[in-house]
Amino acid sequence: MGAMNEDAKQRVEREYRRIAGKLQQAAGSMRGTGGRDAVLAQTRDALASTLEHLIDEYGTQAEQTIGSTVWDQLVIAFFGETNAGKSTIIETMRILTNETTRERKREETGSAQDGMIVGDGRTDFTKVYCEYRLKINGKPFTLIDVPGIEGREEDYSEEIKRALDKAHCIFYVQGHNKQPDTATAEKIKRYLKDWVSVYSIYNIRGGSSDYDEPEERETLMTEKTVKTEVLITNTFREILGDRYKGNVSLQGLLAMCSVAEFAETRGDLLRTQRKLKTLFGDGETLLRFSRLHSLTELIDDMADRFVDEIVEANKHKMISLARKAYHGISDELQRQQEATRRTRLLLHTLQGDIKSVTAKTQTAMERDIKQVNDNEYNALKEKVCAAIDNKVLNEAQRKFAIEQQEALVPSRIEKGINEAVTRNVGEMNDYISMRKRQIDYIPLAGQLDIEDPQKRLGSFFVSTKRIEQTLNPGLGDVGSFAVSVAGGASIGSFFTFIAPGVATATGAVLGGLSHIARKTIFGDGRRSKAKQVARRQIDTARIDSKIRLKELTKGINEQIEKDCGRMTAAIEEETRNLKTVENIIDDAKTGITSFIEEIKSKEYGTI
């Protein structure tokens, strides 16, 4: 193979690798995308599998194409209907070029052998793939006679495929004096695929009797012939588009009869030849009339630039394979679009639902913790007033009863807050669990695991110690006050326990009340006054406690907000993953389209 041809082969191989590289890059990117949603994972894997399958198929076809390509000479496949005259035209070309197998057969038999490859009227006369190596003006080229596409062409489909894979261009022989019918046209399209340049040969049918009259021997291109040629040209252009390169009209039988030395067994051809030469005067005149020169001149020109034809054929094959990849990706994406559309919608609605239920839970949490605080202080007021009213109790007993109620408050608040948190976060978790069953990837935080409230609540879970730390107890500040007010003043010790700031700010007041309490706490007329003082002080402590519990509430809500942020971030990430998958496909399709346009824009025979 010459250096020029070697260079052409390398350039062709490089371009095949380039489009394969685009597909490999897309497949690698697809496999590398994140996302745990089952639907998204299925979509991603299906698209990646499609890309990988296309890469394998593309690689196999590219390898076969490059391997089957003849790089040192032009290869033309004659393709067409059964009995269209393919073999007749090829036989004529063999005779004109002294094709070696023809000459060898003649030497072996010692007699003329022309016409033996030509059909004798039987269906599918050409039953096998046949190659003929010829020369035109010293330039080698190969003609391939392909089995006909009518009759039982499925018996020869592999032969047809092998010939078309090897050929640089196709000469489709139209043997009827009419426009190709729809069925034949569809077969042409199916067999020829997208990659080969196609020329039509209108082999004008007719025997020796069609030229009996002098006017019938004036020109082959009669008005009827020209009309049929236009119909053929328009039909092929419509079927094949840019792959169709033009038409040659000729009379193959006349051309063969002008130069052949038929075998004695082909009496049918010998009789036709004798009559035609009689009608036209000699073989040279008959050959000119046949217009075979229009075909030989075309082949001569193509053989001059056969490297261009090779490159051009491979360009079309690349474009065909690239389009196949494009449509394969598009078809798979179309199959996945309903799933991805539903996933995107679910992601969007789930994100909104999580934000909504989070806000609802935070509001409910604030309300319920406030309610726990209010309920416990109100209950304390009732119990302290009951102790003040209890005439059975002496001073020491009354003090003990009030202190007992004081001691229970922190644990009651603890229990109430934990129940509120458990209930509200549990309801939120149940709702999210229900919603997340539609999209299975949402990574709920461990502390929202409903089966283990203590673990689930984590820093949410409060305790007596936590209550004490939050409320900053300080009994020592007013310990003497409890004694001085004879039990009623033990209310003051609780106020300090719950809210030392309040006790400090009102120490002088409480001290003043202690004197009144000594004189009135056991007097029937002063009990109402003692209860009034107790209620007021407890309300003050309740308000202060509510303020201090806001920090606890804030911490709980911040944790809820953090988990909401984690979940919505996961949703946003999954949405981005979905978009990434779509972007990879779009980039792959854009890359393929650009590749096709780039190849198409190159000048004829260049790549």
Side-chain angles (χ1 to χ4, degrees):
M1 188 187 303
M4 179 176 67
N5 297 357
E6 183 66 34
D7 180 59
K9 181 180 180 181
Q10 291 173 353
R11 284 183 284 126
V12 167
E13 289 176 334
R14 180 194 66 210
E15 292 305 313
Y16 275 116
R17 287 195 299 271
R18 187 152 69 94
I19 189 62
K22 290 181 183 294
L23 294 174
Q24 287 169 343
Q25 182 180 7
S29 298
M30 188 72 68
R31 290 293 187 194
T33 57
R36 285 170 284 176
D37 170 51
V39 175
L40 177 57
Q42 177 185 342
T43 298
R44 178 191 59 216
D45 292 344
L47 289 167
S49 296
T50 295
L51 284 167
E52 289 159 356
H53 173 73
L54 289 169
I55 291 167
D56 291 342
E57 189 174 278
Y58 180 92
T60 299
Q61 290 192 25
E63 185 177 339
Q64 290 175 349
T65 297
I66 293 172
S68 64
T69 295
V70 177
W71 297 91
D72 60 354
Q73 61 180 275
L74 179 69
V75 179
I76 302 172
F78 272 67
F79 184 70
E81 303 158 303
T82 303
N83 297 322
K86 304 184 303 293
S87 299
T88 298
I89 298 170
I90 291 175
E91 179 73 324
T92 306
M93 296 298 297
R94 293 174 70 207
I95 295 167
L96 289 173
T97 60
N98 294 313
E99 192 258 337
T100 55
T101 58
R102 171 180 173 269
E103 288 299 304
R104 186 168 58 249
K105 195 72 174 177
R106 183 186 181 96
E107 291 172 4
E108 289 173 358
T109 61
S111 62
Q113 292 294 311
D114 293 343
M116 296 305 295
I117 69 168
V118 177
D120 58 2
R122 288 176 291 164
T123 302
D124 296 332
F125 187 81
T126 300
K127 295 182 182 297
V128 293
Y129 166 110
C130 297
E131 287 189 16
Y132 302 100
R133 297 188 177 277
L134 313 176
K135 285 186 178 181
I136 188 164
N137 293 328
K139 293 166 287 192
F141 70 102
T142 298
L143 293 187
I144 304 175
D145 192 3
V146 184
I149 66 167
E150 293 179 353
R152 294 183 55 79
E153 74 270 6
E154 63 272 13
D155 294 343
Y156 324 118
S157 59
E158 287 303 312
E159 300 287 339
I160 294 172
K161 182 179 182 299
R162 188 155 62 97
L164 295 180
D165 283 344
K166 196 170 187 178
H168 304 142
C169 61
I170 301 295
F171 282 179
Y172 182 86
V173 182
Q174 160 74 15
H176 296 299
N177 297 340
K178 62 179 183 179
Q179 178 178 358
D181 60 36
T182 303
T184 299
E186 288 304 316
K187 285 186 178 183
I188 295 168
K189 188 173 183 179
R190 184 172 71 249
Y191 276 114
L192 297 189
K193 308 298 183 186
D194 294 324
W195 57 76
V196 287
S197 296
V198 180
Y199 297 83
S200 60
I201 297 177
Y202 174 25
N203 185 24
I204 302 164
R205 305 306 293 270
S208 56
S209 61
D210 290 291
Y211 304 100
D212 288 338
E213 301 301 326
E215 61 270 19
E216 293 173 332
R217 300 192 294 274
E218 289 178 2
T219 178
L220 190 63
M221 299 302 291
T222 63
E223 182 179 349
K224 180 181 178 182
T225 298
V226 171
K227 283 184 178 181
T228 303
E229 184 181 60
V230 170
L231 287 173
I232 292 170
T233 300
N234 290 342
T235 301
F236 275 87
R237 184 167 290 114
E238 182 179 347
I239 296 168
L240 303 174
D242 293 340
R243 288 171 289 157
Y244 182 61
K245 304 302 180 183
N247 180 76
V248 173
S249 294
L250 54 80
Q251 223 287 10
L253 178 63
L254 271 59
M256 183 174 65
C257 288
S258 70
V259 294
E261 295 181 36
F262 293 119
E264 292 181 1
T265 56
R266 294 306 304 262
D268 55 334
L269 294 175
L270 285 167
R271 288 189 296 273
T272 299
Q273 184 182 48
R274 283 194 294 269
K275 181 176 180 180
L276 286 171
K277 285 189 175 182
T278 299
L279 289 171
F280 283 88
D282 58 65
E284 187 64 30
T285 303
L286 184 57
L287 182 60
R288 284 197 304 272
F289 183 84
S290 73
R291 299 189 81 251
L292 185 72
H293 66 275
S294 59
L295 177 61
T296 56
E297 288 171 0
L298 175 60
I299 294 175
D300 187 21
D301 180 59
M302 293 171 68
D304 270 336
R305 49 186 177 85
F306 76 91
V307 174
D308 291 350
E309 292 293 337
I310 293 171
V311 171
E312 200 63 24
N314 277 282
K315 281 164 62 176
H316 286 296
K317 289 181 183 181
M318 287 177 204
I319 290 171
S320 174
L321 291 175
R323 282 176 175 158
K324 186 174 183 180
Y326 182 95
H327 291 303
I329 295 169
S330 297
D331 290 346
E332 186 59 50
L333 185 61
Q334 183 69 32
R335 284 190 288 271
Q336 300 298 328
Q337 272 182 341
E338 177 56 29
T340 56
R341 185 199 66 79
R342 180 174 175 273
T343 297
R344 179 178 279 104
L345 179 61
L346 288 173
L347 288 169
H348 178 73
T349 56
L350 181 59
Q351 186 175 36
D353 289 346
I354 287 176
K355 289 181 178 179
S356 175
V357 74
T358 297
K360 179 180 177 183
T361 300
Q362 289 172 317
T363 300
M365 200 78 72
E366 293 175 359
R367 179 199 65 215
D368 290 353
I369 290 176
K370 176 180 178 297
Q371 190 66 46
V372 166
N373 186 68
D374 288 346
N375 289 346
E376 291 304 324
Y377 274 98
N378 289 336
L380 180 62
K381 279 193 291 186
E382 292 178 4
K383 290 170 183 175
V384 167
C385 289
I388 292 172
D389 282 337
N390 193 332
K391 298 179 180 179
V392 176
L393 299 178
N394 59 31
E395 179 181 345
Q397 291 171 330
R398 184 176 293 110
K399 178 177 180 296
F400 179 78
I402 292 174
E403 286 176 345
Q404 285 293 97
Q405 295 302 323
E406 290 174 3
L408 291 173
V409 169
S411 62
R412 289 181 181 277
I413 292 177
E414 171 195 341
K415 182 174 182 294
I417 291 176
N418 285 331
E419 287 177 352
V421 173
T422 299
R423 181 177 63 256
N424 285 292
V425 175
E427 288 174 359
M428 179 178 73
N429 187 57
D430 290 344
Y431 176 78
I432 293 172
S433 296
M434 180 273 292
R435 288 288 286 111
K436 92 179 185 69
R437 281 194 289 271
Q438 297 172 304
I439 295 182
D440 64 4
Y441 74 91
I442 299 296
L444 286 178
Q447 57 264 45
L448 298 183
D449 184 358
I450 192 68
E451 282 77 17
D452 187 354
Q454 180 69 49
K455 177 184 175 184
R456 169 169 56 90
L457 297 173
S459 61
F460 297 172
F461 217 87
V462 297
S463 63
T464 303
K465 182 177 180 182
R466 184 172 178 82
I467 291 289
E468 290 170 355
Q469 290 172 344
T470 301
L471 303 180
N472 192 15
L475 291 174
D477 292 344
V478 289
S480 59
F481 177 63
V483 177
S484 68
V485 298
S490 65
I491 299 171
S493 70
F494 180 71
F495 297 155
T496 306
F497 176 75
I498 295 295
V502 173
T504 300
T506 60
V509 176
L510 293 176
L513 289 176
S514 66
H515 177 71
I516 299 172
R518 283 197 191 93
K519 294 183 176 181
T520 64
I521 195 70
F522 297 109
D524 291 340
R526 295 295 183 179
R527 293 184 187 279
S528 61
K529 183 67 175 177
K531 289 189 289 184
Q532 183 180 356
V533 171
R535 291 190 188 100
R536 185 169 63 249
Q537 296 297 334
I538 290 173
D539 280 338
T540 301
R542 176 180 59 79
I543 293 169
D544 189 65
S545 174
K546 181 176 71 173
I547 293 170
R548 293 174 183 276
L549 284 175
K550 280 186 177 179
E551 287 301 311
L552 178 65
T553 305
K554 179 182 177 184
I556 294 172
N557 282 343
E558 284 176 351
Q559 186 62 48
I560 293 173
E561 188 70 31
K562 186 183 297 183
D563 289 318
C564 173
R566 182 161 50 250
M567 288 185 287
T568 55
I571 294 172
E572 289 168 358
E573 180 184 359
E574 205 73 355
T575 303
R576 288 193 297 271
N577 289 333
L578 182 60
K579 185 62 178 175
T580 298
V581 168
E582 293 172 339
N583 287 342
I584 290 169
I585 290 300
D586 287 342
D587 289 346
K589 290 167 67 177
T590 299
I592 293 170
T593 301
S594 298
F595 174 84
I596 291 171
E597 293 305 314
E598 182 182 341
I599 294 296
K600 287 170 66 176
S601 68
K602 292 183 181 293
E603 293 183 5
Y604 192 90
T606 63
I607 193 168

